[in-house]
Amino acid sequence: MILLAFFITAASISGVVYDAETLNPVPFVSLFINNGAYGAITDSSGKFYTQLKAGNYKIKTSHVGYIGKTINVKLSPKQELELSIPVEKKTFKLEEVRVLGERILEPSFRGIDVKELKKLPFAELDFFRTLQSFPGVYSVSDLVGWLYVRGSTPDENLYLMDGGEIACPQHYFGAVSAFNVNLLKDVRFSCGGFPASYGDRLSAVLDVTTREGSSEKRVTKINADLLEAGIETEFPLSNNCSYIFSARKNYFKAIAPLVGIEDSTMILPAYQNFQNKLSFSLGKNNKISLSSLLMEDAASVSGSIIEDNGVNINWNNVSNTYVLNYYTTMLNQPLRTVIYHTYLSRYANWIDSTVKNKNKLLKKTGITQTGEFKFLKDKSLEWGISSSYLDYSIDDDLPVEFMGLEKWNIPIRLFADTSTTQYGAYLTLNTPVTSKITLSSGSRFDYSSLIDRAIMSPRLRLTYFYNPKTSFSIAWGYYQQFQAPEVLILAPGITPAKSNHYLIGIEREISKDIFGKIEFYENKISNLGYIFVDEKNMSISSNCSGYGFARGIETFVKKSFTNNFFGWGSCSFSKTRRTSLFNKNLTDFDADQPVSLNLIGVYTFGKYAISTTYRHSSGRPFTPIAGWWWNNRLGKWIMFKGPKNSERYPSYDRLDIKIEREFHISKTTGNIYFTILNVFQHRNVQFYDYIETQRQPIYMLPRLAFLGVDFTIF
Amino acid sequence: MQRKITILLFIFCIGCDFGLNAPKEDANGIYLNLLSNTTLSIEGILRIYNNKAYIIGDYNLQVVNISDKVRPKSSDCYFVVGQEIKDAFINDPYFYIISPDTLFIKNINSLSQIVGKLALNTTVENIKINGNYAYIKTSVGNLLIINISSPSNPVLLGTVGFGKKIEDYIIEDKIGYLLFYNSLLVYDFSNPTQPLPIDISEITTYDGTGLKKNGEYLYRRGSFWGIYITKTKGQALESIRFLEFPREILDFDFDKYGIATDTSTLYLLNAQTPSYLCVIEKMLGRGYSLKTEGDYIYYLQNKSLIILKVEKLR
């Protein structure tokens, strides 16, 4: 009778446990119900089924390699509840994987967990901004994601996607990233001291690896908000072939009139990007993939923006990058071949009292082959060769006020149209010196046909493992970057820009889930290109007399996800002074921020998660307006600048908060989240706008709040 | 088959402020603060000395105590010399006044009493004092040299002519800078009655009057509506630059800051780097007899004494 009564009122729970990242079902996951009073286990398809009496249950998943997930459910009599339970992988960060004697710690490289990154406020729109929360990386504005790293300019950084160079990874000079963060698999970022496998850059490396499409089934995601819409889809083409595709487009111009913004009064941007990857598995240790990133942005405005001058602006920027990767082995050693082509076409034209143009065309095609040869049990020799062909042209009208040209009132044109072939090769030897000391030494050779010169850039790093949790390292690297073609055209044969990186670092595992690092660095930069006015010939010329330095101390502490919390904090003290392309005087660097503090934390409790991002930094330097002078010929007041970067904006402060909550409704799971940017509405000054002698501060982002909902429907 | 739909809704913005309502500041945070506007009984030329403003009218003098720049205290007007006043110069502790043909010397602390007097026997226009000598410009453009070492008994030493009419002049440390209609000359006045020429700077266009000196820089008005800046290297002249203005400059003065006015606007100039002289603030207004000392600016507007202070935003 009891048994009959049970079957009459029995309820059931069924469903599937799936990987939250790949969406693939996870087989053989244990389900503990009410602390083991009941249980179930998923089959090879990730599905489970169990019968229970009506009542309240707590279900907890357990599987090697996955973080346990807890769900509370309430069963009514005869209810057949279906669940879809996402589980997250436990991942190992670069900072966590350190084995004495077997692994060389790479200086200043950070492996960034994409899943952690997506939890932060604003990261889904532009992951470049989250890089700005790391020490050594400075932000100059809330509105752009440029990377100013340890005293360098963004053009001194190397951007790679799947091993191929990208000409332009951001829309509008950095306003929005062209990458879809959901298609990223791995992000490696180096602030300096990077190994010989990277070259022709002075400062930092961002190496992005995109993920492959699902090999199990088709998955489609559609995104839409007030600013942009996007679609992602991934599916298997065969047993050993998969494809993933993403498209995003904004429609701000269509929305702006609805919120009272007229087309004729401000620049309304329009952008779109497409990202895809086709992957083939050709057998054991053989894989080939073809990935691409296509992007375009445009803007146009006409009307009276300036009080007494009509203005017409047109902007169009197109960049396409294609990368072919082939992985194989040779003599049981890994071998990788990358063939890439990147293209950038930028056109800008604006008309006020004069016509100004800024046009740039870049095409680069290259091939690299890299490998690693392991020998004598604990030594390895990394090697690589590369070849590339660059086609480059630039046509810029420099402003009349540029470098005192106002007395001539002649617009100077910066023009270059050239091509060059570059070859490169590197060798890096990694070897233990003693049981506690490891050495990584290498060198890179590069040749450019434009200056018909070969350069050598050695790198050296010594690491001392004081104990399994503590290590000390010192590193030195000599970096060179060929001058921009527009500099070389004016003075052929100028030697490359140079930078010496000196690093001393201490790393320690403070506990099993807390990692800390202190790093001292000094970068000495020389031979920077400098363009100046040749008054005798009334023309412009160039040389390599620019120089500068950056030095500082950075601290970084990170806690991995345990006890419902993960986060990191960084603090840096630095000083950077350098000349610029058009100014030979040594001044405070444009992005110099002597003090910088970043605090990031994500806390989960039950179905809720709160993430916060706080950033404080010193004000950036700016060039004040010394005054105005009247130009009778133009009939207007001309701005007269004071000493470059002689004053500073007020300090920068910003706190962002994001609150998420999971929910389950019938067959639906999802998240609802609420984000507030700049919680305290701190007025961070972007720049000063001048209307004759009246100065008006223009602020960065105000306090912004938005609500989001995330649905998963089966 | 799983479908995942993400919807991001912008529901509202809390307290959006894109800087449209941001407060206006002045270039480099400098602005002119109006301290006081004192009504006067007369119009005239302005002299500032020892926290007192002397407004010298055609016949009368009014003294304003400007120790308190916000609340100046003006005195009554009184006759000074009983004749029309052409110009006046203060050289502590004496007040030198010229009527059309007479030099009067008064004690500045007791303006009712005449200390010394000298008949000039010619029509005069301006007076400058340097050391023990008064240099008085006649209506024909010559200089009368007067020994004033004994104020009660000034002595006319002689007349110096230059072949053409002096438009304006400055005598400082025995060096004279004489502005003519087509040239600027430097003279050594070690021997006041026999000045020796040192340097000459040609002026290609007629520039009118208006010559001021501040440190080693000379400023003069230009006919193309601007101010010429000349550096006195030692005793030689070096033309530095010309600062244009949208309208003709009526008056100007230089000290820590420069101040200039045209028919409708008052311009504050950055005088600390004369090679890069430029306007750092403007305000609507028109005045004459401009004077600037330190952070303060004084000028007359109709029958008012205006006092401004150059302030910096914090």
Side-chain angles (χ1 to χ4, degrees):
Chain A
M1 283 296 290
I2 295 174
L3 195 60
L4 181 62
F6 172 80
F7 279 110
I8 289 172
T9 61
S12 68
I13 300 177
S14 64
V16 63
V17 177
Y18 66 96
D19 186 307
E21 180 187 8
T22 65
L23 304 179
N24 293 329
V26 183
F28 314 120
V29 175
S30 300
L31 295 152
F32 293 93
I33 304 173
N34 281 6
N35 295 322
Y38 307 95
I41 189 165
T42 61
D43 59 16
S44 59
S45 300
K47 295 179 180 175
F48 66 93
Y49 174 83
T50 186
Q51 281 189 317
L52 296 165
K53 292 187 294 186
N56 296 320
Y57 296 94
K58 182 162 73 175
I59 303 171
K60 185 172 180 182
T61 64
S62 176
H63 187 75
V64 172
Y66 286 91
I67 300 168
K69 181 86 172 182
T70 302
I71 297 173
N72 294 316
V73 300
K74 181 177 178 182
L75 283 179
S76 305
K78 296 187 182 178
Q79 180 182 2
E80 295 178 352
L81 179 65
E82 286 191 37
L83 297 175
S84 295
I85 305 174
V87 288
E88 294 186 6
K89 277 201 185 72
K90 288 180 186 174
T91 56
F92 294 97
K93 320 295 181 295
L94 273 181
E95 297 89 342
E96 297 177 358
V97 180
R98 296 182 295 126
V99 179
L100 268 182
E102 292 185 5
R103 181 182 175 87
I104 309 299
L105 292 173
E106 296 182 59
S108 305
F109 250 117
R110 295 186 182 93
I112 297 166
D113 189 326
V114 177
K115 290 199 306 297
E116 288 182 355
L117 187 151
K118 287 198 282 188
K119 283 198 174 296
L120 302 182
F122 219 63
E124 288 181 355
L125 287 175
D126 186 359
F127 87 97
F128 274 74
R129 296 174 201 283
T130 58
L131 297 179
Q132 294 168 349
S133 67
F134 289 100
V137 185
Y138 300 106
S139 164
V140 297
S141 168
D142 290 344
L143 304 176
V144 292
W146 292 331
L147 301 180
Y148 287 83
V149 182
R150 289 181 180 174
S152 72
T153 54
D155 62 318
E156 293 168 1
N157 303 330
L158 180 64
Y159 302 97
L160 300 169
M161 180 184 75
D162 294 336
E165 275 189 51
I166 314 171
C168 183
Q170 295 169 297
H171 293 289
Y172 299 111
F173 283 123
V176 178
S177 166
F179 287 112
N180 183 338
V181 69
N182 292 321
L183 267 67
L184 300 182
K185 175 183 175 184
D186 186 33
V187 177
R188 282 158 52 88
F189 181 64
S190 169
C191 285
F194 46 87
S197 48
Y198 305 100
D200 194 22
R201 289 297 187 278
L202 293 182
S203 177
V205 174
L206 178 66
D207 191 350
V208 168
T209 303
T210 57
R211 67 182 181 90
E212 297 165 3
S214 169
S215 58
E216 299 286 329
K217 58 184 177 297
R218 174 188 288 272
V219 178
T220 302
K221 176 189 286 188
I222 299 173
N223 308 298
D225 57 44
L226 284 180
L227 295 180
E228 68 171 31
I231 181 169
E232 300 161 23
T233 187
E234 55 186 300
F235 50 87
L237 290 170
S238 68
N239 287 338
N240 53 8
C241 178
S242 68
Y243 180 71
I244 184 167
F245 169 80
S246 156
R248 292 192 303 173
K249 183 175 172 63
N250 89 319
Y251 36 80
F252 190 61
K253 288 182 83 167
I255 294 295
L258 301 178
V259 293
I261 298 172
E262 296 180 9
D263 193 10
S264 63
T265 60
M266 64 181 289
I267 300 172
L268 297 175
Y271 66 83
Q272 56 195 15
N273 54 65
F274 308 93
Q275 193 175 337
N276 61 22
K277 188 168 187 175
L278 183 66
S279 305
F280 295 93
S281 176
L282 304 174
K284 188 180 177 185
N285 298 326
N286 277 271
K287 192 162 67 173
I288 189 168
S289 68
L290 176 63
S291 48
S292 71
L293 175 65
L294 317 176
M295 53 162 271
E296 181 179 6
D297 45 79
S300 64
V301 67
S302 60
S304 296
I305 287 187
I306 302 175
E307 193 175 306
D308 53 353
N309 282 306
V311 173
N312 186 287
I313 297 174
N314 288 290
W315 160 276
N316 183 264
N317 185 49
V318 174
S319 178
N320 301 326
T321 302
Y322 306 91
V323 185
L324 176 73
N325 270 265
Y326 176 56
Y327 298 87
T328 186
T329 57
M330 182 172 70
L331 302 175
N332 290 324
Q333 308 290 350
L335 194 68
R336 179 185 184 187
T337 304
V338 177
I339 301 173
Y340 67 91
H341 172 77
T342 187
Y343 165 87
L344 168 67
S345 170
R346 179 173 296 156
Y347 168 80
N349 165 267
W350 63 89
I351 302 169
D352 42 41
S353 56
T354 59
V355 177
K356 298 183 185 70
N357 295 298
K358 280 191 178 296
N359 302 319
K360 186 172 181 178
L361 182 65
L362 181 154
K363 299 177 198 171
K364 188 169 187 180
T365 304
I367 177 169
T368 65
Q369 190 150 61
T370 60
E372 186 177 5
F373 179 62
K374 294 183 180 175
F375 60 100
L376 296 179
K377 186 183 172 185
D378 55 2
K379 296 177 179 30
S380 72
L381 185 69
E382 297 174 22
W383 62 271
I385 53 175
S386 64
S387 169
S388 65
Y389 177 77
L390 171 68
D391 206 351
Y392 183 94
S393 73
I394 188 168
D395 191 349
D396 264 9
D397 285 331
L398 298 176
V400 168
E401 295 81 13
F402 162 64
M403 298 187 306
L405 288 176
E406 65 271 12
K407 60 182 176 185
W408 297 339
N409 200 32
I410 302 170
I412 297 294
R413 191 172 165 219
L414 193 64
F415 176 78
D417 188 357
T418 185
S419 60
T420 178
T421 305
Q422 285 182 223
Y423 303 101
Y426 74 88
L427 281 174
T428 302
L429 174 67
N430 304 310
T431 177
V433 176
T434 69
S435 60
K436 288 200 171 187
I437 299 176
T438 57
L439 171 71
S440 173
S441 78
S443 188
R444 188 178 175 89
F445 302 85
D446 289 286
Y447 168 84
S448 168
S449 67
L450 198 57
I451 59 172
D452 193 23
R453 182 193 288 263
I455 56 177
M456 186 174 107
S457 308
R459 320 277 163 92
L460 192 67
R461 178 174 173 85
L462 212 59
T463 304
Y464 171 61
F465 294 92
Y466 177 70
N467 59 38
K469 294 187 178 181
T470 310
S471 65
F472 301 90
S473 60
I474 58 173
W476 165 74
Y478 184 59
Y479 299 86
Q480 301 193 64
Q481 181 172 348
F482 293 111
Q483 305 283 358
E486 56 264 34
V487 173
L488 289 170
I489 286 293
L490 296 171
I494 291 181
T495 52
K498 307 176 197 311
S499 179
N500 274 287
H501 293 196
Y502 304 92
L503 300 162
I504 299 175
I506 306 168
E507 297 182 7
R508 174 157 174 90
E509 281 186 16
I510 300 168
S511 66
K512 67 173 182 181
D513 57 353
I514 298 178
F515 163 80
K517 181 174 183 177
I518 298 177
E519 190 164 79
F520 304 84
Y521 69 90
E522 171 148 349
N523 296 348
K524 290 190 173 173
I525 314 161
S526 61
N527 253 45
L528 291 175
Y530 166 60
I531 295 178
F532 60 94
V533 174
D534 185 342
E535 295 208 7
K536 185 178 174 184
N537 299 315
M538 283 185 65
S539 64
I540 53 173
S541 186
S542 70
N543 59 30
C544 50
S545 60
Y547 64 101
F549 69 86
R551 60 175 69 103
I553 172 173
E554 298 169 356
T555 58
F556 180 72
V557 177
K558 186 177 180 195
K559 181 185 181 302
S560 305
F561 184 74
T562 54
N563 296 327
N564 302 325
F565 177 81
F566 79 88
W568 65 85
S570 69
C571 180
S572 64
F573 302 93
S574 63
K575 185 67 183 171
T576 305
R577 287 172 68 83
R578 57 184 282 169
T579 61
S580 64
L581 187 60
F582 302 115
N583 187 336
K584 66 176 180 181
N585 299 318
L586 191 67
T587 63
D588 285 348
F589 180 51
D590 293 343
D592 177 48
Q593 293 165 7
V595 177
S596 174
L597 173 69
N598 291 281
L599 298 170
I600 285 89
V602 180
Y603 180 70
T604 60
F605 51 102
K607 296 183 180 181
Y608 292 88
I610 295 179
S611 61
T612 59
T613 303
Y614 173 71
R615 184 183 305 159
H616 167 84
S617 64
S618 313
R620 292 177 295 111
F622 74 97
T623 302
I625 301 302
W628 303 79
W629 58 276
W630 177 260
N631 185 302
N632 257 322
R633 193 190 67 84
L634 297 176
K636 63 178 184 179
W637 290 98
I638 305 296
M639 196 184 293
F640 182 78
K641 294 185 178 179
K644 182 172 168 61
N645 287 349
S646 55
E647 292 191 15
R648 286 189 178 261
Y649 294 117
S651 63
Y652 176 95
D653 284 274
R654 181 174 141 185
L655 173 69
D656 302 335
I657 294 178
K658 181 180 176 183
I659 304 172
E660 278 184 272
R661 189 193 190 278
E662 282 182 26
F663 64 86
H664 306 273
I665 302 175
S666 183
K667 298 181 182 180
T668 304
T669 60
N671 289 296
I672 183 168
Y673 53 91
F674 180 67
T675 300
I676 306 177
L677 302 179
N678 197 5
V679 172
F680 297 118
Q681 186 149 281
H682 188 266
R683 294 188 166 213
N684 298 308
V685 176
Q686 170 75 47
F687 62 92
Y688 290 115
D689 189 21
Y690 293 87
I691 300 176
E692 293 194 350
T693 58
Q694 296 295 315
R695 180 176 84 177
Q696 180 170 347
I698 303 298
Y699 299 113
M700 300 187 199
L701 283 180
R703 184 192 298 135
L704 280 176
F706 48 92
L707 195 65
V709 180
D710 202 320
F711 288 99
T712 302
I713 301 175
F714 297 92
Chain B
M1 185 178 191
Q2 296 177 354
R3 289 203 202 99
K4 191 171 186 180
I5 299 175
T6 302
I7 301 173
L8 185 69
L9 302 173
F10 283 89
I11 302 295
F12 63 93
C13 297
I14 301 174
C16 287
D17 181 351
F18 288 93
L20 297 176
N21 297 320
K24 285 185 171 25
E25 304 176 9
D26 294 89
N28 288 328
I30 290 176
Y31 69 100
L32 288 168
N33 186 16
L34 175 65
L35 295 183
S36 61
N37 183 339
T38 307
T39 303
L40 304 171
S41 303
I42 58 173
E43 294 181 5
I45 55 177
L46 176 67
R47 296 285 182 264
I48 302 291
Y49 176 75
N50 197 22
N51 275 329
K52 286 201 174 83
Y54 298 86
I55 295 90
I56 305 159
D58 289 340
Y59 290 93
N60 304 338
L61 171 72
Q62 187 166 14
V63 181
V64 181
N65 188 323
I66 54 173
S67 305
D68 183 348
K69 305 286 190 294
V70 178
R71 282 169 288 274
K73 292 178 185 170
S74 60
S75 68
D76 294 330
C77 283
Y78 51 94
F79 285 105
V80 182
V81 295
Q83 299 179 30
E84 182 188 0
I85 301 171
K86 300 298 287 185
D87 194 11
F89 196 97
I90 299 172
N91 191 34
D92 190 31
Y94 298 101
F95 202 112
Y96 298 83
I97 302 160
I98 50 171
S99 67
D101 58 4
T102 307
L103 168 66
F104 295 90
I105 302 173
K106 293 197 164 201
N107 189 308
I108 198 160
N109 297 313
S110 176
L111 287 170
S112 59
Q113 292 180 339
I114 295 176
V115 174
K117 182 178 173 181
L118 177 67
L120 302 174
N121 300 319
T122 184
T123 307
V124 295
E125 294 180 344
N126 299 105
I127 179 171
K128 307 275 168 109
I129 307 289
N130 183 234
N132 289 325
Y133 301 94
Y135 302 85
I136 299 175
K137 189 185 85 167
T138 68
S139 58
V140 297
N142 297 328
L143 281 182
L144 302 180
I145 314 299
I146 298 169
N147 188 327
I148 55 170
S149 57
S150 173
S152 60
N153 186 28
V155 177
L156 176 65
L157 298 179
T159 302
V160 179
F162 301 90
K164 46 194 175 182
K165 182 180 178 185
I166 299 172
E167 300 291 344
D168 204 348
Y169 62 110
I170 294 173
I171 312 290
E172 189 179 277
D173 295 331
K174 298 182 182 177
I175 301 295
Y177 302 91
L178 311 180
L179 179 66
F180 299 91
Y181 81 95
N182 65 348
S183 59
L184 177 65
L185 274 67
V186 185
Y187 272 83
D188 180 355
F189 277 82
S190 300
N191 183 347
T193 55
Q194 290 182 336
L196 297 174
I198 298 173
D199 197 7
I200 181 170
S201 171
E202 297 294 335
I203 301 170
T204 55
T205 59
Y206 177 66
D207 290 300
T209 58
L211 185 67
K212 296 285 167 65
K213 189 169 185 292
N214 187 30
E216 55 179 1
Y217 291 90
L218 279 173
Y219 302 89
R220 57 185 172 83
R221 289 187 304 174
S223 60
F224 286 115
W225 297 355
I227 295 176
Y228 285 95
I229 303 120
T230 304
K231 188 173 182 180
T232 58
K233 286 174 65 176
Q235 295 162 349
L237 300 172
E238 179 189 350
S239 181
I240 298 295
R241 66 186 295 239
F242 174 60
L243 181 66
E244 289 181 88
F245 285 87
R247 289 169 287 275
E248 183 183 0
I249 294 298
L250 302 177
D251 197 7
F252 63 95
D253 194 24
F254 284 86
D255 187 53
K256 180 179 175 183
Y257 294 96
I259 189 75
T261 180
D262 59 22
T263 53
S264 64
T265 307
L266 203 66
Y267 303 94
L268 183 68
L269 310 174
N270 173 18
Q272 283 138 8
T273 51
S275 301
Y276 300 101
L277 189 71
C278 53
V279 175
I280 55 177
E281 173 59 335
K282 299 187 296 173
M283 65 182 278
L284 286 177
R286 172 181 175 171
Y288 62 96
S289 211
L290 265 60
K291 290 286 175 284
T292 178
E293 280 184 1
D295 291 332
Y296 296 96
I297 293 161
Y298 313 87
Y299 66 96
L300 301 177
Q301 188 179 72
N302 299 326
K303 285 188 180 179
S304 296
L305 170 65
I306 312 292
I307 301 178
L308 306 172
K309 186 178 180 187
V310 181
E311 305 261 26
K312 274 210 172 200
L313 281 175
R314 303 210 182 275

